[in-house]
Amino acid sequence: MSTHRGPNAHGDAGPLRPARLTWIDILRTGAVGLRARRARVVLSALGIAIGIATMVAVVGLTTSSKAHVMAQLDRLGTNLLTADAIAPQEGDPVAELPKNAVAMVKRIGPVEQATDMGRVDAQVRRSAAVPPELTAGIGTQAARPDLLDTLNARMAQGRWLDRASERIPAVVLGKVAADRVGVSAPGARIMIAERDFVVIGILDRVELVPALDRVAMVGFPAAERYLGFNGHPTTLFERSSDASVEAVRQVLGPTINPGRDGTVKVSRPSDALAARAATDKGLTTLMLGLGAVALLVGGVGVANTMVISVLERRAEIGLRRSLGATRGAVRLQFLTESLLLSALGGAVGAVLGTLATLTFAHAQRWIPVVPPSSLAGGLAATLVIGALAGLYPAIRASRLDPTVALAG
C-alpha cells in the first residue's frame, strides 16, 4: 500500500498516512495470488464447481421434469375417471359391470364422455408355431370405437376400430404388445384364441392408462362372436368437467353397480402423474443434500488453500505491513482472494449445471427449465462459502507481526 504526507498548518509535509484503496485496487490485489498459483486455484475451485453444478442441475432437472408432467396433464386432462370391476372380498371372483353401465353413467349430469372395455379370456400369439408362454404377458380386451377420443389417445400406425371393423376379426395392438408379438406395421396376422385376426393399427403409448400398451383390442361384437366374450365390461372410462370431477367420483361407483358396494373401484389416472412429480421432491432433497456436502468440501478446500497461501506469503505480508498497509487492508486482500476463488468455482459450476440440465432435458424430450433463482442462489452460496473460508486466513494474515514475517 502506498502512503503520502498531508500538509500541516505551516505548509510542511505532515506524518505519513495510508492511502485509500479503491475497489479496483482491491480486486487487482486479490487476483494477484490467484494468478501466481493457478494449478492450486483450479483444484480448489473444482470442489466449489462440483457442488454448485450438482445443485443447479438437480433443481433444473426437477423443474424440467415437473414442467414435462404438467404439460402432459394439460394435454391429457385431469378429468378422466376410471371405474374397474373388483372382487367384493378377498378370494371372491372379480365382479362384472352391467352391460348398460355406460348408458347409466351418461345420465349423470356433468358427464361429457363415457366408454368401456371388457377383459377377454383369450391367448394372443404371433402364429401357431409360437409357444404360448412367449406372449403370456399380453392380454385381450374388447373395446369401443369411442375409446380413443375418451382417452385422448393416438395411433402410432394404422387406424382405430370403427363401426365396421369392430364386427370382424380385426385387432389393434398396444405399443408393447406389438413389439412382443413381432408386429411392426398394420396388415400382419396374429392368432387370438387359435383364430386369425388382422392387425389394423398399433396404438401409441397411453400415458394415462399404460395397461393398454400391453393388450390386444378387438371390438365388442367381434369378441362376442369369435372369442366367447359375454359382453360384460370390466373397466369404464369417464370424462366430466374439471369442476365436477370429485362430485362425479363420489357417485360413479353406485351408479354403475347400484346396491353392490365394494364391486367397483374408482380412480383418477392423472393422480399417478401428479404423484410422480411429488415423488421427485424426495429425490431432489437427497441430491441437494449431496450437492451441499460437495459445496462444503469445496469450502474446506478453499480455506485450506488460503491458509497455505498465508504461510507461503509471510514475507510479502511483512513487506506490505512495513510499507504502511493496515491490518484491515491485509484482511481485505485475503478475503477478496477467497471470494474470487469461490466465485470462480461457482461461475464454472453454474455453467456446468445449466449445460447438464439442457443436455439431459433434450435427451428426455422435456421442456428445459433452469430457474434463475437456482443460479442466483448457487452464486450467493459460493460467496458465503468464500467469505467463511477466507475469514480465518485473512485474520491470521493481518495479525502477523511485520518484523517476524520479514524474518520468517
Side-chain angles (χ1 to χ4, degrees):
M1 175 178 293
S2 61
T3 59
H4 70 278
R5 293 181 180 273
N8 55 23
H10 303 286
D12 299 327
L16 290 173
R17 291 184 302 176
R20 292 184 177 276
L21 289 174
T22 65
W23 284 108
I24 299 298
D25 295 329
I26 293 171
L27 292 175
R28 186 183 296 114
T29 304
V32 169
L34 301 183
R35 291 197 300 267
R37 298 164 179 80
R38 295 180 182 180
R40 188 182 301 169
V41 166
V42 170
L43 294 176
S44 299
L46 185 60
I48 297 288
I50 292 174
I52 294 300
T54 302
M55 299 176 77
V56 170
V58 166
V59 174
L61 291 176
T62 302
T63 307
S64 300
S65 176
K66 185 176 180 180
H68 176 69
V69 171
M70 292 301 105
Q72 278 185 305
L73 290 176
D74 289 341
R75 177 172 58 84
L76 300 172
T78 59
N79 60 343
L80 177 70
L81 293 177
T82 301
D84 292 296
I86 60 173
Q89 296 181 355
E90 188 176 353
D92 292 346
V94 175
E96 293 179 331
L97 303 182
K99 291 184 178 181
N100 63 343
V102 170
M104 292 190 295
V105 168
K106 286 184 176 180
R107 294 194 187 105
I108 302 174
V111 172
E112 298 172 350
Q113 294 174 291
T115 188
D116 55 12
M117 297 185 71
R119 187 181 302 109
V120 181
D121 185 14
Q123 176 69 47
V124 179
R125 289 192 289 169
R126 183 67 174 89
S127 67
V130 177
E133 58 269 17
L134 293 183
T135 54
I138 302 175
T140 305
Q141 293 273 353
R144 306 283 188 185
D146 58 354
L147 178 69
L148 209 65
D149 291 335
T150 304
L151 298 182
N152 284 341
R154 298 171 296 186
M155 297 298 299
Q157 297 182 60
R159 58 191 177 90
W160 179 246
L161 299 167
D162 55 28
R163 293 301 178 187
S165 59
E166 71 170 346
R167 301 179 180 277
I168 62 176
V171 60
V172 174
L173 297 176
K175 190 71 171 175
V176 176
D179 292 339
R180 287 188 178 179
V181 298
V183 174
S184 58
R189 291 181 176 271
I190 64 172
M191 292 188 67
I192 304 179
E194 307 304 322
R195 185 180 183 91
D196 284 344
F197 275 71
V198 177
V199 177
I200 63 172
I202 299 175
L203 193 64
D204 203 354
R205 291 186 180 273
V206 185
E207 292 96 336
L208 285 181
V209 192
L212 295 186
D213 297 340
R214 294 171 171 79
V215 298
M217 290 156 280
V218 301
F220 265 74
E224 294 179 55
R225 182 177 179 180
Y226 302 109
L227 304 176
F229 178 52
N230 62 10
H232 284 274
T234 51
T235 302
L236 185 144
F237 301 102
E238 174 276 334
R239 282 193 187 272
S240 56
S241 60
D242 291 332
S244 58
V245 170
E246 288 304 321
V248 173
R249 188 173 189 169
Q250 298 299 320
V251 301
L252 190 58
T255 300
I256 293 174
N257 246 357
R260 299 188 64 185
D261 296 338
T263 60
V264 179
K265 178 184 177 182
V266 179
S267 59
R268 192 177 185 179
S270 60
D271 289 344
L273 289 176
R276 191 180 76 186
T279 303
D280 288 342
K281 293 181 180 178
L283 181 61
T284 299
T285 302
L286 174 62
M287 295 304 294
L288 285 176
L290 294 176
V293 171
L295 189 59
L296 180 61
V297 172
V300 172
V302 171
N304 182 60
T305 298
M306 295 308 301
V307 169
I308 295 175
S309 178
V310 170
L311 294 176
E312 291 179 343
R313 297 159 66 185
R314 288 166 60 91
E316 175 193 332
I317 296 170
L319 180 60
R320 293 194 65 222
R321 293 282 285 120
S322 299
L323 293 175
T326 63
R327 288 185 174 183
V330 174
R331 278 197 301 269
L332 191 58
Q333 173 191 349
F334 283 91
L335 190 59
T336 301
E337 187 172 324
S338 177
L339 288 171
L340 289 175
L341 179 56
S342 297
L344 175 63
V348 173
V351 172
L352 292 177
T354 301
L355 291 177
T357 299
L358 296 177
T359 302
F360 190 83
H362 178 73
Q364 296 294 320
R365 297 183 179 179
W366 293 349
I367 301 171
V369 180
V370 181
S373 58
S374 67
L375 297 176
L379 293 176
T382 60
L383 295 180
V384 172
I385 291 291
L388 295 177
L391 188 59
Y392 169 71
I395 293 175
R396 181 171 179 175
S398 67
R399 289 181 177 176
L400 284 176
D401 182 85
T403 306
V404 175
L406 286 171

